[in-house]
Amino acid sequence: MPSRIASSVAKHGVAASLWARREYSVLPSWVAGAGIKGATTTTTTSPRRRKFGLLISGPALVWLATLVGVLSVAWLIYNHTANVLPTPVSEDAAGKDGFSEERALRHVKFLTDLGPRPVSSSALHQGVQLEGPVFSGKTLVYGGQEHVVVRVRPQSDDGNAQDNSVLVSAHIDSVITGPGAGDDASSIAVMIEVLRALSSVHFSFKNSVIFLFNTAEEEGATGSHSFITQHPWCNTIRAAVNLEALGIGGKHYLFQDVFHSGIISSGTDFQIYREVQGLPGLDFAYMDNAAVYHTPNDKFELLKPGSLQHSGDNLLPFLFEVATLPDLAVHNSTLPPGPYSVVYFDVLGLYMVSYSKDSAKYIHGVIIVVGLVLFQASVCLSGVTGLIALGLAVFAILLTWIFAFGITLLVAWLVVPYLSSFAIPFIVNQWMVIGLYGAPALFGALLGQHFGHGLLVSYLAGVHTKLMQTEEKGTPDQGTKEIIATRAQSLAEGEAERWLFKAGILQWLVVLGLGTWVNAGSAYLALAMVLGPAIAYGLIEIQLSPKQSSGELHWLTFWLGMLIPFVLTSFPVIRITYLLISKLIDIDTNPGSLPEWFGSVVVGAVVAAIVCLMFVYLLPYAHRSGGFLLILGPIAMLAIVVLGLLALNVFPAFTPDLGREINVVHVINTSNHSVSSSYVSLHL
């Protein structure tokens, strides 16, 4: 019999080959039932049943435990990266040349106590004077705008320090609606403290450091424009560091790609320096509690301890390093052109990885080509059977997206607005998004892929059944047909898992290609989601010998394959989701123009996309015998419980520290002053 099976491999391609390999290890289990001489009858209890005993829910428990593990690991990585802040340093411990958050907080308190500081206000005029005799110098005025500009350079200057400098910038003004503790008094305080520390160690400087405390940033960044175009020092600047805020406190993040991607429709002073003067540099921002951005709750009391210390501990040594470079002008001239020419990311907040986008395009191109070649080779080896199987696996991925989006958007559009009187009821308790949208999205993704998985298994089982029946002498009896059908089903289920896993790799190859095409710096995330699982699959699942089994995927393949993606993607995915949810509070820039369910639908769509992308390698394991319905149950229950909590208003939609935002717009027709319109938009 083995020789007959082996001889059919060349005839029937990989489908026969996979069946033949499996049959070498289990030949007695069904050959005896077919009446073949010399065969002995053995029990047909499956390895999975032996592993879990008679507990049919074993596969479901393993899958759900893995899901909980995945979410827990992602949260731990995010929490470590985002929320572990340094211990604030006291004034005495910092000394003359160190950064003290205790000292910096006094400046934040002074500015926020002044209240809102819009342009031309008395509060802003007092703020420009700053607190105490921090430094002496001139305040230059441009068209009613008040800025404070300070240059730190060595006492013995050979001309190099005067001609080459790095700019550090933040804005003193705030919007009229809030005191601006985060935006941007915190950055001003960091600059003052860094300025104080650098002034005691400036003797070894080779370049100058210019501190610009500008105004009119909230009025279209006209203050930074006036400085960079009119001030006599502007032509000496070789690089710029801008300190901003999209919230209050937390870590200072490099965030310019957020604006470049269009996620946040706004800009900073750094864009002026980049676009007008062509300066390279860094744009930092606080992003915690972004819902208080430009509101009365952007107040001193919400500033998280350690936030300023984190900023100072990074900015102070960086500026000292740049100020002591002997060839700052040369470094500037050799930087790659363009504002977004570098890909950068950190690993658990410990190491920074940086490379040019030209290198990224080359790496991504090579990976895409190699990946497509391997897929083509796999299909060619499998023949028509493999091509159809891959097509059905891709169709299952498509059904995953359709069902996930369909169910999630239905909940976001109809259910959530019906149960809650608030347009965005999860601003304060953002964890509710997991139950409101994450659970329906995962439910839909599982359901959609299960339909596709069924089609794939049905096709593969038919191929295996036909192959086995052709190997029988004569017409098999009914008992043999049943045994063949059972065995074919088992083989098909294992193969289906593998095709779905490989279709997930193909999905991420497409995302990598799109990211490279649009020149997205964040395409490195797709690169990680391709390489990790592909390498793990090749190491664990590859079949180098005909005697190897082609059964179900190993769980080690998933965990090993997702190790690097977990490390690299957990923080940016969760952070961007948090930022998006927080910014929904002012998404309606034209009050009354958007329906109340719009914010809910946006979050639902984003969460559905994240589920379809990030769980694509976990979903294939969910279809194992006896486990699928037991997986859907807890996920549906989670959604029902959270929706019930929403309906009962157990968790408030807003708090005193995160209040509702009211936009009032009064439009006057300048050609006819008697005609006017007013719009009021209430969020939350």
Side-chain angles (χ1 to χ4, degrees):
M1 185 67 177
S3 62
R4 295 175 60 194
I5 296 173
S7 66
S8 68
V9 170
K11 179 179 179 182
H12 295 283
V14 171
S17 175
L18 294 178
W19 173 75
R21 294 170 192 171
R22 188 62 171 264
E23 289 306 317
Y24 277 113
S25 61
V26 296
L27 190 61
S29 299
W30 72 273
V31 172
I36 297 177
K37 294 181 180 180
T40 57
T41 304
T42 61
T43 178
T44 57
T45 302
S46 68
R48 180 160 300 279
R49 179 63 58 85
R50 290 196 300 270
K51 182 176 181 180
F52 292 100
L54 297 178
L55 185 61
I56 197 171
S57 62
L61 292 176
V62 173
W63 195 91
L64 290 171
T66 303
L67 175 64
V68 173
V70 166
L71 296 176
S72 299
V73 169
W75 174 254
L76 289 174
I77 292 174
Y78 170 79
N79 186 65
H80 169 79
T81 305
N83 297 326
V84 177
L85 294 168
T87 302
V89 177
S90 66
E91 186 172 351
D92 293 336
K96 292 199 308 180
D97 57 354
F99 186 94
S100 168
E101 179 172 300
E102 177 185 328
R103 196 156 34 204
L105 283 174
R106 292 204 297 264
H107 303 305
V108 181
K109 188 71 165 60
F110 170 76
L111 289 173
T112 54
D113 284 347
L114 296 175
R117 303 176 301 281
V119 172
S120 300
S121 66
S122 59
L124 179 60
H125 180 73
Q126 295 179 56
V128 169
Q129 309 307 314
L130 302 176
E131 182 190 12
V134 179
F135 54 83
S136 59
K138 295 182 179 179
T139 298
L140 304 177
V141 179
Y142 301 92
Q145 298 174 0
E146 299 178 279
H147 310 314
V148 176
V149 188
V150 182
R151 181 166 65 181
V152 179
R153 63 178 184 177
Q155 291 180 339
S156 56
D157 185 2
D158 59 1
N160 182 70
Q162 182 172 334
D163 295 336
N164 298 286
S165 57
V166 58
L167 174 68
V168 187
S169 172
H171 63 93
I172 309 175
D173 63 310
S174 73
V175 293
I176 196 172
T177 56
D183 182 27
D184 199 22
S186 297
S187 299
I188 292 293
V190 169
M191 283 178 56
I192 295 173
E193 178 63 5
V194 168
L195 169 58
R196 182 204 58 77
L198 283 181
S199 64
S200 64
V201 294
H202 68 283
F203 308 103
S204 59
F205 283 7
K206 299 292 191 299
N207 311 287
S208 299
V209 181
I210 297 176
F211 290 83
L212 170 62
F213 303 84
N214 73 73
T215 60
E217 193 275 345
E218 302 292 0
E219 303 295 326
T222 56
S224 57
H225 188 277
S226 67
F227 170 81
I228 207 64
T229 57
Q230 300 183 40
H231 198 280
W233 294 345
C234 67
N235 292 325
T236 70
I237 299 172
R238 308 302 173 204
V241 178
N242 187 61
L243 305 181
E244 254 293 355
L246 281 174
I248 180 168
K251 292 185 176 181
H252 241 152
Y253 297 106
L254 278 170
F255 81 128
Q256 189 57 45
D257 271 356
V258 175
F259 287 150
H260 180 56
S261 65
I263 295 175
I264 303 298
S265 57
S266 184
T268 69
D269 287 328
F270 181 77
Q271 289 181 281
I272 301 297
Y273 307 140
R274 177 73 258 180
E275 296 170 6
V276 175
Q277 198 71 0
L279 294 174
L282 305 171
D283 204 6
F284 291 93
Y286 294 114
M287 294 187 183
D288 276 15
N289 213 351
V292 306
Y293 176 65
H294 285 184
T295 71
N297 283 320
D298 185 6
K299 53 191 179 183
F300 178 82
E301 292 75 15
L302 295 184
L303 188 57
K304 186 184 300 183
S307 301
L308 304 189
Q309 195 66 50
H310 174 265
S311 303
D313 288 348
N314 282 282
L315 184 60
L316 181 57
F318 171 78
L319 290 178
F320 182 82
E321 182 72 20
V322 173
T324 54
L325 283 174
D327 51 356
L328 177 62
V330 175
H331 275 278
N332 173 260
S333 63
T334 58
L335 285 173
Y340 311 108
S341 57
V342 178
V343 177
Y344 56 84
F345 56 90
D346 70 278
V347 180
L348 298 178
L350 302 175
Y351 304 100
M352 176 69 77
V353 179
S354 177
Y355 49 92
S356 70
K357 281 196 173 178
D358 288 338
S359 299
K361 290 179 180 179
Y362 176 78
I363 295 171
H364 298 172
V366 170
I367 295 299
I368 292 171
V369 171
V370 171
L372 293 178
V373 168
L374 290 176
F375 267 100
Q376 183 181 11
S378 176
V379 170
C380 289
L381 289 174
S382 306
V384 176
T385 298
L387 182 61
I388 296 176
L390 179 60
L392 289 173
V394 172
F395 180 65
I397 296 292
L398 180 61
L399 289 179
T400 298
W401 284 81
I402 293 174
F403 276 71
F405 268 79
I407 294 177
T408 306
L409 295 184
L410 188 66
V411 171
W413 180 39
L414 295 178
V415 180
V416 172
Y418 177 78
L419 295 178
S420 176
S421 58
F422 302 106
I424 312 171
F426 42 80
I427 286 289
V428 175
N429 300 286
Q430 296 187 8
W431 61 267
M432 295 178 69
V433 169
I434 298 175
L436 294 178
Y437 308 113
L442 186 56
F443 186 94
L446 284 165
L447 200 60
Q449 190 176 103
H450 195 62
F451 286 135
H453 172 268
L455 294 175
L456 180 57
V457 169
S458 178
Y459 169 73
L460 292 174
V463 172
H464 287 301
T465 299
K466 184 177 180 181
L467 179 62
M468 292 180 190
Q469 289 178 347
T470 59
E471 296 299 326
E472 287 297 316
K473 293 180 179 179
T475 303
D477 57 27
Q478 185 62 32
T480 302
K481 288 182 178 180
E482 292 178 358
I483 294 173
I484 289 176
T486 301
R487 187 67 191 134
Q489 182 74 15
S490 176
L491 290 172
E493 289 177 354
E495 277 191 67
E497 287 187 8
R498 293 165 178 267
W499 281 114
L500 288 173
F501 195 91
K502 288 187 285 187
I505 297 175
L506 185 60
Q507 171 183 275
W508 275 107
L509 271 177
V510 172
V511 175
L512 178 61
L514 292 174
T516 306
W517 180 51
V518 300
N519 202 29
S522 55
Y524 76 90
L525 299 173
L527 180 64
M529 293 296 292
V530 169
L531 285 181
I535 292 173
Y537 187 90
L539 291 175
I540 299 173
E541 306 294 345
I542 193 171
Q543 297 167 333
L544 301 177
S545 168
K547 294 185 178 181
Q548 285 182 274
S549 170
S550 61
E552 296 173 338
L553 286 169
H554 297 82
W555 277 108
L556 181 60
T557 303
F558 172 78
W559 283 109
L560 182 62
M562 291 302 294
L563 179 62
I564 294 177
F566 276 152
V567 171
L568 296 182
T569 64
S570 296
F571 170 75
V573 169
I574 297 176
R575 170 54 69 182
I576 292 299
T577 305
Y578 270 161
L579 182 61
L580 174 65
I581 293 173
S582 298
K583 293 303 295 176
L584 286 175
I585 196 170
D586 56 2
I587 193 173
D588 195 354
T589 55
N590 184 16
S593 63
L594 297 176
E596 289 190 0
W597 48 260
F598 183 79
S600 178
V601 168
V602 169
V603 175
V606 171
V607 172
I610 290 173
V611 167
C612 293
L613 289 170
M614 304 307 296
F615 290 90
V616 68
Y617 298 117
L618 180 59
L619 294 178
Y621 294 86
H623 311 291
R624 295 181 174 178
S625 176
F628 185 71
L629 293 179
L630 295 173
I631 290 173
L632 291 181
I635 295 173
M637 185 60 65
L638 174 62
I640 293 172
V641 168
V642 177
L643 287 170
L645 294 175
L646 178 68
L648 297 174
N649 199 26
V650 174
F651 298 98
F654 59 92
T655 66
D657 288 334
L658 193 58
R660 290 181 285 187
E661 178 177 322
I662 300 178
N663 294 325
V664 180
V665 177
H666 187 64
V667 181
I668 299 177
N669 189 332
T670 56
S671 62
N672 185 356
H673 290 280
S674 62
V675 179
S676 63
S677 302
S678 296
Y679 303 91
V680 178
S681 176
L682 177 63
H683 294 272
L684 286 182

